[in-house]
Amino acid sequence: MFFGRTRRIVSMWFPRLQSDRVLRARPVEAPFALVLKQANAERLYCLNARAEAEGLHRGMALADARIYCPALLTAPADPGRDARFLAALRRWATRYCPWVGAEGDDGLVLDVTGATHLHGGEAAMLADMRARAARAGLALRLGLADSRGGAWALARFGEGVAPPGDPLAALAPLPVAALRLEPEVVTALQRLGLRTIGDLAARPRPPLTRRFGPDLLARLDQALGHLPEPVAPDAEPPHYGIRLSLPEPIGLTEDVMAGTARLLERLCAQLLAREAGARVLELSLRRVDGGAARVELRLASPMREADRILPLFRRGVEAAEAGFGIDQLRLEALVVEDLPVQQLGGPVAARGAAPEGPALDDLVTRIGTRIGLENIRRLLPADSHIPERAFSVAPAAFSAPASGGWPAPRPRPLRLFPPEPIAARGPRPPRRFRWRALQLATARATGPERIAPEWWLPDEAWRHGTRDYWQIETREGRRLWLFHTPQAPGWFVHGEFP
């Protein structure tokens, strides 16, 4: 890309990236570590400098760490947030050059060829990186070389600068582990007396290739710049945002809705091209006084049909304050999900979703804008023979209806309530009993159906053990679900059939 120029690569390593991210918000002076559950055991994931000074290390069991350091403070690790933080650092690093890529989960690699003079030279650029990282509360180690492998080795094992055209001068004293080799290969080389990169580079190549294969010398050539190793910047995620600037301010609801319709058509075309659908949309209305009103729309399912989405904006637009007028509209899809193209007709579609699906999603969205999508819930079947655990409650907007139906080997009442005791004796249903101030007489009894508690899930409601359920039809017209507990004799009403 830069003809006639020596390639220069910078490796930025954040040795305590994860813990530094947490401690930036709440600094502590005591030993601190992030903990992650691995192989059914809590282990240290990342430590601050004080914890490392106490002899603790990554991968150490938390129980052992507390023995060595009782004052250790811990917090749960969050790899997802760490990845997003590293992505933010990657965007920040583009201030030095456009070619920035991720290096593992705690480092960055920059191709600064032809860009160092813009920052006062290599030394000034590296000093600026260190200063900015220190102000941000991040530990940083830097390596600069002609190759990606050489910069990686210097950042993690020697923190320095390799002179242009002669990387071996700076890499020779580094251990062979700096070549990004497998631990068993490093151990085998050390047993042969090859402890540094200089020792390895001085040995004849054929014997090394016969014993360790071609990967060893490939890593050496990558570090010395003999094999190319490009820096590929991460692709930016697609951005779904459309803006409309108006020549004259507007304030009427119909005018704003007309502008929103134009924005929706363009945005939905982008979503269709990428086979995606919007889950959360935000309409920003900039006023002439510099303020802005925002209308957020959370959808019950991914959508990209402008005619379906537009009416859902009306309530928020009507409530927005226009002030002295609105001169700019901006529509952005904040949350986007995959929405592949589906067949709408024919026998394939007949086996798919129900035709009332879109209408139901629109209804859930309309109600959700008033009471919140999380407050609209549906019941889903659960794999349990215990009546109270045979279903689960989930938000309708973030779950799919059960496609296989509700498995019911025996009839179940429509209404369930906590067991209510009644006065009765014996294992057979009582002929007469009193329930909720009603005198009832049994006309027909069907059962029993024995249900045993799930021993692996302790439940206080099932402390009496096995239950024998009966369907009772009374002469008064009530259809009840009763059970008897043989271990601790007693009768209870648990539900009512319609």
Side-chain angles (χ1 to χ4, degrees):
M1 182 172 57
F2 299 97
F3 299 100
R5 292 180 178 175
T6 302
R7 190 176 183 223
R8 300 296 278 170
I9 305 295
V10 173
S11 178
M12 304 178 70
W13 180 42
F14 303 92
R16 294 184 290 273
L17 175 70
Q18 296 82 4
S19 60
D20 286 346
R21 176 188 64 81
V22 176
L23 295 178
R24 290 173 71 241
R26 43 177 187 175
V28 297
E29 298 297 332
F32 175 83
L34 295 177
V35 178
L36 186 66
K37 191 171 184 179
Q38 299 174 338
N40 295 327
E42 290 188 328
R43 299 187 178 275
L44 302 188
Y45 180 67
C46 187
L47 305 80
N48 67 350
R50 284 288 305 276
E52 292 177 349
E54 295 289 337
L56 308 183
H57 57 85
R58 291 195 180 198
M60 189 177 189
L62 178 59
D64 297 338
R66 292 200 181 279
I67 295 175
Y68 287 101
C69 183
L72 178 66
L73 302 178
T74 62
D78 191 340
R81 286 191 177 183
D82 297 334
R84 291 192 292 271
F85 185 60
L86 183 62
L89 289 176
R90 188 194 64 81
R91 291 192 295 271
W92 162 79
T94 56
R95 64 179 288 114
Y96 298 104
C97 67
W99 295 88
V100 182
E103 191 82 83
D105 57 1
D106 57 1
L108 300 173
V109 57
L110 296 77
D111 190 339
V112 296
T113 307
T116 56
H117 69 283
L118 300 175
H119 306 277
E122 294 180 352
M125 183 184 65
L126 297 180
D128 184 69
M129 291 178 177
R130 292 190 181 94
R132 292 180 182 274
R135 288 198 297 270
L138 300 175
L140 175 62
R141 297 183 63 177
L142 297 169
L144 176 60
D146 295 347
S147 63
R148 182 172 180 173
W152 188 94
L154 289 171
R156 287 158 176 78
F157 292 88
E159 192 173 15
V161 178
D166 188 17
L168 187 58
L171 299 178
L174 301 184
V176 291
L179 295 178
R180 298 173 292 176
L181 302 174
E182 297 295 333
E184 56 270 16
V185 177
V186 173
T187 302
L189 290 173
Q190 291 174 347
R191 289 175 179 173
L192 294 175
L194 304 177
R195 301 184 177 277
T196 66
I197 295 178
D199 296 338
L200 184 63
R203 286 299 184 96
R205 288 176 168 252
L208 294 174
T209 303
R210 285 195 298 269
R211 178 156 187 171
F212 297 100
D215 293 341
L216 172 62
L217 295 180
R219 285 299 192 185
L220 177 62
D221 290 337
Q222 286 176 343
L224 298 180
H226 300 157
L227 280 180
E229 196 173 4
V231 176
D234 296 338
E236 293 290 341
H239 177 70
Y240 301 97
I242 305 295
R243 179 182 302 171
L244 176 63
S245 297
L246 304 172
E248 295 291 339
I250 61 175
L252 298 178
T253 299
E254 296 303 326
D255 294 341
V256 176
M257 292 296 293
T260 305
R262 294 180 59 183
L263 295 177
L264 270 173
E265 291 178 359
R266 296 165 57 187
L267 180 64
C268 291
Q270 292 184 5
L271 295 171
L272 178 61
R274 295 183 178 273
E275 294 193 5
R279 282 299 296 260
V280 180
L281 293 165
E282 184 182 74
L283 176 64
S284 299
L285 309 175
R286 192 185 70 180
R287 299 190 294 262
V288 294
D289 59 0
R294 291 178 172 82
V295 179
E296 184 178 273
L297 179 63
R298 302 175 64 194
L299 303 174
S301 64
M303 296 185 189
R304 58 169 176 250
E305 295 82 10
D307 56 342
R308 290 177 55 196
I309 300 175
L310 181 61
L312 305 176
F313 269 111
R314 178 171 291 277
R315 183 172 181 271
V317 170
E318 291 175 348
E321 180 61 44
F324 295 102
I326 297 169
D327 62 357
Q328 186 183 92
L329 284 72
R330 177 177 173 80
L331 182 63
E332 184 178 4
L334 301 181
V335 179
V336 176
E337 297 181 3
D338 293 335
L339 186 60
V341 177
Q342 298 179 352
Q343 183 171 343
L344 300 180
V348 176
R351 297 193 298 267
E356 64 271 17
L360 179 61
D361 292 339
D362 293 350
L363 176 62
V364 171
T365 300
R366 290 179 181 274
I367 300 176
T369 56
R370 291 170 169 80
I371 65 174
L373 289 176
E374 295 81 3
N375 297 321
I376 306 174
R377 303 175 182 179
R378 63 160 49 99
L379 300 180
L380 299 174
D383 186 14
S384 177
H385 58 274
I386 301 299
E388 299 91 332
R389 297 177 184 154
F391 65 93
S392 61
V393 182
F398 308 106
S399 61
S403 58
W406 288 72
R410 298 289 182 89
R412 292 289 183 263
L414 186 61
R415 294 177 55 204
L416 279 178
F417 38 78
E420 301 175 1
I422 59 175
R425 294 182 179 180
R428 304 291 298 178
R431 293 186 177 182
R432 292 184 176 274
F433 59 95
R434 184 179 180 85
W435 174 66
R436 294 185 178 180
L438 299 175
Q439 293 289 347
L440 302 175
T442 301
R444 181 180 178 183
T446 305
E449 177 191 357
R450 173 159 291 188
I451 299 179
E454 297 170 342
W455 58 267
W456 59 92
L457 294 175
D459 190 340
E460 183 65 21
W462 284 75
R463 65 182 185 276
H464 297 305
T466 302
R467 297 177 181 179
D468 291 335
Y469 278 89
W470 295 78
Q471 301 175 45
I472 303 297
E473 298 181 13
T474 64
R475 298 183 185 278
E476 292 75 14
R478 309 299 290 264
R479 301 176 65 242
L480 304 176
W481 207 37
L482 277 65
F483 70 84
H484 175 254
T485 53
Q487 290 86 347
W491 281 92
F492 301 84
V493 181
H494 195 188
E496 185 173 8
F497 293 91

